[in-house]
Amino acid sequence: MASSAQKIDLLTATQQSWAGGLAGHHGTTYTVVIQCTDTTVVPDTLWIGETIYSKIDIKPKDSAIRKYDKKMRAYTYTLNAYESYNDMKQLYVYSGQQQPGDNTKQHMRHYDGEALVSYKYKGKHYSYIVKKLTRLPALNYP
């Protein structure tokens, strides 16, 4: 039974597109924050859609990813994934036709599907489905 196996709680799941810094440079930042009271739960992978965006390697005293909340008696994990594109390089190889492997038109500005967090618990792998990533306002850098 999947519901009895869930050892984590979702706190937030966001996505934020961005553009700028360099001409044609854009991307999306994904952040998923989970909490678990069992110290043997260790998240290891974050999927956005069908793509693995982050292989999580948590070191024993890594406070950037894992924090302990004394009040809640729980660990909070902040899982980040990033994608970054530069459309300007396509301008320099333009031949009038879309080149094989030119994925410029397929780059996502936002994602409307589900995400997945996989984690280990007592030597077995489990997964948690993130049903929706809340879209934050886009960032535009100079």
Side-chain angles (χ1 to χ4, degrees), residues 26-89:
H26 63 95
T28 306
T29 302
Y30 303 99
T31 303
V32 175
V33 181
I34 59 172
Q35 190 174 68
C36 52
T37 55
D38 192 326
T39 60
T40 60
V41 171
V42 180
D44 59 13
T45 310
L46 175 63
W47 280 271
I48 306 295
E50 296 178 1
T51 306
I52 298 173
Y53 279 90
S54 182
K55 197 72 171 171
I56 303 156
D57 183 23
I58 301 170
K59 304 200 175 20
K61 294 187 178 186
D62 192 349
S63 63
I65 296 173
R66 178 176 63 184
K67 294 183 179 170
Y68 185 70
D69 184 341
K70 291 180 183 177
K71 185 177 179 181
M72 297 294 292
R73 294 185 181 168
Y75 280 103
T76 301
Y77 293 89
T78 302
L79 314 176
N80 292 303
Y82 310 93
E83 43 183 54
S84 176
Y85 306 104
N86 185 350
D87 294 340
M88 292 305 286
K89 66 182 177 180

Side-chain angles (χ1 to χ4, degrees), residues 69 111 134:
D69 184 341
Y111 175 68
T134 302

Side-chain angles (χ1 to χ4, degrees), residues 100-116:
D102 177 5
N103 295 325
T104 303
K105 296 184 187 213
Q106 289 85 24
H107 295 171
M108 292 189 294
R109 298 289 181 164
H110 63 87
Y111 175 68
D112 291 325
E114 297 177 338
L116 184 79

Side-chain angles (χ1 to χ4, degrees), residues 15-29:
Q15 61 179 314
Q16 187 168 37
S17 63
W18 57 270
L22 298 170
H25 202 144
H26 63 95
T28 306
T29 302

